[in-house]
Amino acid sequence: KEKFKAEKRAWKKERADFFDNQRKQASVAAVPAAPVIARPEKAATDQMPLNKFMAHCGVSSRRDAVEIIKSGKVKVNGVVVMEPGHKVSQKDIIAVNGKKAVVSKNLVYIVLNKPKDYITTTEDPQGRRTVLDLIRNATEERVYPVGRLDRATSGVLLLTNDGDLSQKLTHPTNKIKKVYAVTLDKPLSAKHFDEILKGVTFEDGIANVDVLAYTDQRDKAEVGVEIH
């Protein structure tokens, strides 16, 4: 009982401190701020790589755009272009699968708690359910998943038409962290625990784990994994 009362008092204090901070921030915000000088938007003649332009149009992420371009599905001014770095501007007419690509003005961000048995693609030749089926009525803008979650994996997934944000979150050099809660079909032994920390070898190279820990000391089949 005493422990419960102590936790309740701590929670009340934390709540009071939170709202006190909110009031202080509100009073600071009420002070007139210095005028903000808007930067002029880039001229329509500014050039950029074709895959980046497609990302700005909400067609796909920059990385996926590379594959689309190389497959011969993109035309620039009526001519098929298969080089992702080909420079284009808004004066050019870019068509993907015969449909004109237009730079998106309305940026949309959807955070989805992806359930199992949905695949993280925009379409599937096998007719399986995709994450876009879950957000079909959420927006009229063409959004795409940032990164991937396996079909059997559930958890947070971002869908957007913001190509720049997608690039920042998925490019390996930015080392964005991902944390997974893993349930195994048997306890993870100390031997295998140490082997995983040394790196797991796959066909395409070694996958390194940043952090590995038991999330429940009473159940060694519950593990937390952090990668980037």
Side-chain angles (χ1 to χ4, degrees):
K1 285 184 179 180
E2 290 301 318
K3 181 181 178 181
F4 173 78
K5 288 180 180 179
E7 289 176 348
K8 190 174 181 180
R9 285 194 297 268
W11 176 78
K12 285 184 176 180
K13 184 179 184 303
E14 183 179 339
R15 185 179 64 173
D17 290 343
F18 170 81
F19 285 109
D20 187 49
N21 284 331
Q22 292 292 96
R23 283 191 291 270
K24 288 179 180 178
Q25 290 176 14
S27 63
V28 171
V31 178
V36 177
I37 301 174
R39 295 179 180 178
E41 291 194 9
K42 290 185 177 181
T45 55
D46 284 0
Q47 293 190 323
M48 67 178 72
L50 179 56
N51 65 318
K52 182 177 181 180
F53 182 89
M54 289 171 59
H56 281 306
C57 293
V59 173
S60 67
S61 65
R62 285 195 210 178
R63 185 179 299 179
D64 289 343
V66 170
E67 298 303 320
I68 297 172
I69 295 166
K70 288 182 176 180
S71 66
K73 297 178 180 178
V74 181
K75 289 184 178 181
V76 178
N77 300 323
V79 179
V80 174
V81 173
M82 301 181 70
E83 175 52 53
H86 180 82
K87 300 294 185 181
V88 297
S89 73
Q90 292 189 41
K91 286 188 174 181
D92 295 310
I93 299 175
I94 288 85
V96 182
N97 285 324
K99 185 177 180 181
K100 184 179 179 181
V102 180
V103 174
S104 178
K105 300 295 182 182
N106 183 26
L107 295 178
V108 176
Y109 308 88
I110 298 174
V111 180
L112 173 71
N113 184 11
K114 175 194 167 302
K116 294 181 180 180
D117 295 325
Y118 283 84
I119 60 174
T120 311
T121 58
T122 54
E123 56 185 22
D124 181 53
Q126 300 179 38
R128 294 172 297 180
R129 296 181 297 182
T130 75
V131 291
L132 291 189
D133 293 327
L134 297 168
I135 55 115
R136 198 165 299 282
N137 297 321
T139 178
E140 294 181 357
E141 297 291 333
R142 184 174 180 179
V143 298
Y144 49 87
V146 178
R148 297 283 187 271
L149 285 179
D150 292 336
R151 184 179 181 183
T153 301
S154 61
V156 65
L157 180 68
L158 175 65
L159 299 100
T160 183
N161 57 356
D162 187 337
D164 284 337
L165 177 63
S166 178
Q167 174 76 357
K168 290 175 183 176
L169 291 176
T170 57
H171 200 281
T173 57
N174 294 324
K175 298 182 179 180
I176 301 298
K177 296 180 179 179
K178 294 182 180 181
V179 179
Y180 292 86
V182 184
T183 300
L184 304 172
D185 58 0
K186 60 183 177 181
L188 179 65
S189 67
K191 176 186 175 183
H192 289 159
F193 189 101
D194 293 337
E195 287 180 359
I196 292 172
L197 285 177
K198 291 177 183 176
V200 182
T201 303
F202 293 98
E203 291 180 358
D204 55 350
I206 297 177
N208 293 307
V209 173
D210 299 327
V211 179
L212 178 66
Y214 295 112
T215 54
D216 186 345
Q217 291 300 324
R218 296 167 298 179
D219 185 357
K220 297 299 178 66
E222 297 290 335
V223 182
V225 181
E226 181 181 296
I227 61 174
H228 70 267

